[in-house]
Amino acid sequence: RKESSAASDVYKRQMQTHRNVLYHADTYRDALKILPDDRLSLFSTYGFDASVMDIFGALLAGACLYPLDIRKEGSSQAVLEKLMHYGISIFHATPTLFRFLFEQLGEQTLAAIRLVVLGGEEARAADFELFRRHCKKGALFMNGLGPTESTLALQYFADHETRLLGTVVPVGNAVKGCEVFLLDENGEITALQGEICIRSLY
């Protein structure tokens, strides 16, 4: 009975509220500067946190959302043709899917894309180079980090003039309303390595 109660308490602490989701989508919309004339890709399933930010971020801005199922499309070329046909301006995917699609572009440029948003796994410097090769000057590249418990915590923005150091893309700075820091084994704030701690400022 005690174990059941403890598990229930943990579940309650991890539940999302409508207020949390609205604030999260609002923060995402503002950070990406989503506008009514934007067209967003939607690759994630509806129950996944990455889809929540795209669905409600688009709704809050009056933008258009285009669900794309890569399995049903049948090929990477079919997906790329849809991206071009719909004039997708904000492309959001995992680095693996981004890499898979953009490596098929050859010499083509996705001229309508103004923002590539990656998250869910490590983004590589080679991914950033794919962005620079296939997206127009003036477009932005964003790498995000969001643990399951908080969904969105850090964002890193880069443009064609950015020069990365190393083989991975940084995860950037804390989003509006969050404070992110590292704790050592004694629970003290440290600058080098430790457990990631995310604190809401609201």
Side-chain angles (χ1 to χ4, degrees):
R1 191 172 290 177
K2 288 183 180 179
E3 289 180 358
S4 176
S5 176
S8 175
D9 289 343
V10 170
Y11 176 74
K12 287 177 184 175
R13 286 197 301 268
Q14 293 181 345
M15 282 180 65
Q16 290 281 4
T17 66
H18 288 163
R19 181 182 177 186
N20 289 347
V21 172
L22 178 61
Y23 181 79
H24 165 61
D26 196 45
T27 300
Y28 182 74
R29 178 203 59 192
D30 290 348
L32 272 56
K33 296 179 171 59
I34 303 174
L35 299 171
D37 59 352
D38 273 316
R39 300 176 175 211
L40 288 72
S41 64
L42 178 65
F43 289 103
S44 301
T45 59
Y46 302 129
F48 190 54
D49 59 2
S51 71
V52 172
M53 62 180 79
D54 286 328
I55 293 170
F56 291 101
L59 282 172
L60 288 172
C64 292
L65 188 68
Y66 292 83
L68 293 162
D69 188 331
I70 194 166
R71 293 169 298 179
K72 290 183 179 178
E73 295 299 335
S75 71
S76 58
Q77 192 57 42
V79 174
L80 290 170
E81 288 173 3
K82 287 282 180 70
L83 294 176
M84 289 184 270
H85 175 73
Y86 293 142
I88 297 298
S89 59
I90 300 178
F91 175 94
H92 181 197
T94 62
T96 296
L97 180 55
F98 165 80
R99 203 174 300 136
F100 173 70
L101 292 173
F102 275 57
E103 284 176 349
Q104 314 301 316
L105 281 170
E107 299 302 315
Q108 290 178 292
T109 298
L110 293 175
I113 290 181
R114 71 168 184 85
L115 183 60
V116 167
V117 180
L118 300 185
E121 56 191 43
E122 181 180 85
R124 305 171 187 166
D127 299 326
F128 178 62
E129 291 306 315
L130 276 174
F131 156 80
R132 293 181 68 219
R133 190 177 311 136
H134 299 294
C135 294
K136 65 184 179 182
K137 290 284 182 71
L140 293 176
F141 178 95
M142 195 276 278
N143 183 36
L145 172 68
T148 300
E149 295 81 4
S150 67
T151 305
L152 182 63
L154 298 159
Q155 290 178 329
Y156 175 81
F157 287 88
D159 60 23
H160 282 72
E161 305 307 316
T162 303
R163 294 296 177 264
L164 299 180
L165 299 176
T167 59
V168 298
V169 180
V171 292
N173 300 309
V175 299
K176 179 184 73 174
C178 279
E179 185 178 17
V180 180
F181 46 91
L182 299 175
L183 298 180
D184 63 19
E185 57 187 13
N186 297 316
E188 300 293 331
I189 295 177
T190 180
L192 297 178
Q193 65 180 31
E195 183 178 0
I196 296 175
C197 181
I198 302 169
R199 179 166 59 197
S200 171
L201 300 178
Y202 296 104

